[in-house]
Amino acid sequence: MAPKHHPTPLSGGDRKALTKELRRARAVTTILATRSAEKRAAGEALIREADDLLCQSWNEKMWADGGPVDPSPAIDQAINAGYPWARDQMHPLQDAARGRPGRPATRADNQRA
C-alpha cells in the first residue's frame, strides 16, 4: 500500500495543525501497536496455561479411571503446555505419514504388492 499523501496547506496555521495531527497519529500508532503486543503476549500466556490445565486434567482422569480417556489433548496443546516429550512421540508418526523408510506396513501396502 502506498503511503498516504497529505498536501501541504497554504496557510501557516493549517500547516501547524496538519503537522500536529500527523505527529499525534504517529504517536497513537506506536501506543496501539505496543498495547496490541502486550495483549497478545498475555493471551498466549493464558492459552498456554489453559493447555497445561487440560493436560493435567486428562492425566488425572487417566490415573483415576485406569484407562484411555477421550478426548485427549492434541499434540500441539501438550507441546504448548510445556511437555516437550510429546514432540518426540510425534516424530515416528509423522515419518510414517510421510512414507519415510521404517514406517509400518499397512493393509494397503500388502494389497499393492
Coordinates of all heavy atoms in Angstrom, one line a residue, residues 7-20:
P7 N -1.4 16.8 1.2 CA -0.9 18.1 0.5 C -0.7 19.2 1.6 O -1.5 19.3 2.5 CB -2.0 18.5 -0.4 CG -3.2 17.7 -0.1 CD -2.8 16.5 0.7
T8 N 0.4 19.9 1.5 CA 0.7 20.9 2.4 C -0.2 22.1 2.3 O -0.3 22.7 1.2 CB 2.2 21.4 2.2 OG1 3.0 20.2 2.3 CG2 2.6 22.4 3.3
P9 N -0.9 22.5 3.3 CA -1.8 23.7 3.2 C -1.0 24.9 3.0 O 0.2 25.0 3.3 CB -2.5 23.7 4.6 CG -2.2 22.4 5.2 CD -1.0 21.8 4.6
L10 N -1.7 25.9 2.5 CA -1.0 27.2 2.1 C -0.8 28.1 3.4 O 0.2 28.7 3.5 CB -1.8 28.0 1.1 CG -1.9 27.3 -0.3 CD1 -2.8 28.1 -1.2 CD2 -0.6 27.1 -0.9
S11 N -1.7 28.1 4.3 CA -1.6 29.0 5.4 C -0.7 28.4 6.5 O -0.7 27.1 6.7 CB -3.0 29.3 6.0 OG -3.5 28.2 6.7
G12 N -0.1 29.2 7.3 CA 0.8 28.7 8.3 C 0.1 28.0 9.4 O 0.6 27.0 10.0
G13 N -1.1 28.5 9.8 CA -1.9 27.8 10.9 C -2.3 26.4 10.5 O -2.3 25.5 11.3
D14 N -2.7 26.3 9.2 CA -3.2 25.0 8.7 C -2.0 24.0 8.7 O -2.1 22.8 8.9 CB -3.8 25.1 7.4 CG -5.2 25.8 7.5 OD1 -5.7 25.8 8.6 OD2 -5.7 26.2 6.4
R15 N -0.8 24.5 8.3 CA 0.4 23.7 8.2 C 0.8 23.2 9.6 O 1.1 22.0 9.8 CB 1.6 24.4 7.6 CG 1.5 24.6 6.1 CD 2.8 25.0 5.6 NE 3.3 26.3 6.1 CZ 3.1 27.5 5.6 NH1 2.4 27.7 4.5 NH2 3.6 28.6 6.2
K16 N 0.7 24.1 10.6 CA 0.9 23.7 12.0 C -0.1 22.7 12.5 O 0.3 21.7 13.1 CB 0.9 24.9 12.9 CG 2.1 25.8 12.8 CD 1.9 27.0 13.7 CE 3.0 28.0 13.4 NZ 2.9 29.2 14.3
A17 N -1.3 22.8 12.1 CA -2.4 21.9 12.6 C -2.2 20.5 11.9 O -2.3 19.5 12.6 CB -3.8 22.5 12.2
L18 N -1.8 20.5 10.6 CA -1.5 19.3 10.0 C -0.3 18.6 10.6 O -0.4 17.3 10.8 CB -1.3 19.5 8.5 CG -0.9 18.2 7.7 CD1 -2.1 17.2 7.7 CD2 -0.5 18.6 6.2
T19 N 0.7 19.3 10.8 CA 1.9 18.7 11.5 C 1.6 18.1 12.8 O 2.0 17.0 13.2 CB 3.0 19.8 11.6 OG1 3.3 20.3 10.3 CG2 4.3 19.2 12.2
K20 N 0.8 18.8 13.6 CA 0.4 18.4 14.9 C -0.5 17.1 14.8 O -0.2 16.1 15.6 CB -0.4 19.5 15.6 CG -0.9 19.1 17.0 CD -1.7 20.3 17.6 CE -2.2 19.9 19.0 NZ -3.0 21.0 19.6

